[in-house]
Amino acid sequence: MGEVSITASCIIRQHRIYRNDELLWEASQDLNLQDFLRAAYDRFSGQYPKFHKMDHLCKLGWLAAEVLLKEPLDYPPAEVGLILANKSASLDTDLRYYDTVKEFPSPALFVYTLPNIVMGEISIRHGFKGENAFFTSDHFDTELVMSYVQQLFDENAIGAALCGWVEVMNEQYEVILHLVEKENKL
């Protein structure tokens, strides 16, 4: 039985992207969120046309996973869990969708009116098929997320997990994503 630990991290906030506490890239603070996300996509991926259809929440989570998983994980798809949390759920997109129903509802926005869609976008991109959960709370409840992840490891339901906080509301956002793995000790 091994101990669970964070083996990599990605933080996206204030138009900066960090991997393992190292600043990888910084964009002008003058950019709006949409332009920042597009510039970050061009910098770190640029090969996933579906990105342009995603809402801000999905783009942020997806970008963090791209940065975090520069190298593919060495686990079967069913052994990679995904546990995320945020404060606003999908309210940022819900409000934009509500604005469209005054005239003609936008099916493109409606698709993203659930917060767990970000997990689907990450899972599709990386082929993950393991356990997943999305929590909402007023703050990043690391104790809740880590106890849930620990339980999944204890039950041998996963071999690795991406877990963290993916929050966006209007132009305010923050992503803290961790790769958690079990260290096997002899």
Side-chain angles (χ1 to χ4, degrees), residues 55-109:
D55 72 340
H56 291 156
L57 183 67
C58 289
K59 287 178 180 180
L60 283 163
W62 190 92
L63 280 168
E66 285 295 291
V67 171
L68 189 61
L69 302 173
K70 288 174 22 178
E71 301 295 325
L73 294 177
D74 192 23
Y75 296 93
E79 290 184 19
V80 180
L82 191 52
I83 296 81
L84 300 177
N86 78 4
K87 178 179 180 178
S88 303
S90 60
L91 187 57
D92 181 66
T93 301
D94 295 345
L95 292 172
R96 285 187 283 128
Y97 175 72
Y98 180 73
D99 285 341
T100 72
V101 299
K102 294 173 187 170
E103 293 179 20
F104 183 77
S106 169
L109 281 176

Side-chain angles (χ1 to χ4, degrees), residues 33-38 41 48-64 84 86 88-97 106-122 134 166-173 175:
L33 179 56
Q34 182 64 28
D35 291 340
F36 165 73
L37 291 168
R38 174 57 198 237
Y41 167 80
Y48 199 71
K50 191 175 178 188
F51 178 85
H52 305 290
K53 295 179 181 181
M54 295 179 198
D55 72 340
H56 291 156
L57 183 67
C58 289
K59 287 178 180 180
L60 283 163
W62 190 92
L63 280 168
L84 300 177
N86 78 4
S88 303
S90 60
L91 187 57
D92 181 66
T93 301
D94 295 345
L95 292 172
R96 285 187 283 128
Y97 175 72
S106 169
L109 281 176
F110 179 75
V111 169
Y112 294 98
T113 55
L114 293 173
N116 64 336
I117 298 300
V118 64
M119 295 190 310
E121 296 291 0
I122 293 168
F134 195 104
V166 182
E167 169 66 13
V168 63
M169 179 51 83
N170 300 316
E171 292 289 311
Q172 303 301 311
Y173 65 92
V175 180

Side-chain angles (χ1 to χ4, degrees), residues 172-183:
Q172 303 301 311
Y173 65 92
E174 180 179 52
V175 180
I176 304 167
L177 193 62
H178 301 289
L179 174 60
V180 179
E181 299 178 271
K182 188 179 278 191
E183 297 176 358

Side-chain angles (χ1 to χ4, degrees), residues 3-9 20 146 163 177-181 183:
E3 194 169 309
V4 172
S5 63
I6 296 171
T7 58
S9 66
N20 299 332
M146 287 310 295
C163 59
L177 193 62
H178 301 289
L179 174 60
V180 179
E181 299 178 271
E183 297 176 358

Side-chain angles (χ1 to χ4, degrees), residues 117-180:
I117 298 300
V118 64
M119 295 190 310
E121 296 291 0
I122 293 168
S123 295
I124 290 167
R125 171 67 166 169
H126 296 282
F128 300 155
K129 297 179 181 177
E131 296 286 331
N132 63 75
F134 195 104
F135 299 102
T136 56
S137 64
D138 287 336
H139 63 280
F140 185 17
D141 189 343
T142 56
E143 187 175 316
L144 169 70
V145 171
M146 287 310 295
S147 65
Y148 189 81
V149 169
Q150 182 66 56
Q151 179 180 351
L152 293 174
F153 277 107
D154 291 347
E155 294 172 356
N156 291 317
I158 58 173
L162 267 66
C163 59
W165 181 257
V166 182
E167 169 66 13
V168 63
M169 179 51 83
N170 300 316
E171 292 289 311
Q172 303 301 311
Y173 65 92
E174 180 179 52
V175 180
I176 304 167
L177 193 62
H178 301 289
L179 174 60
V180 179

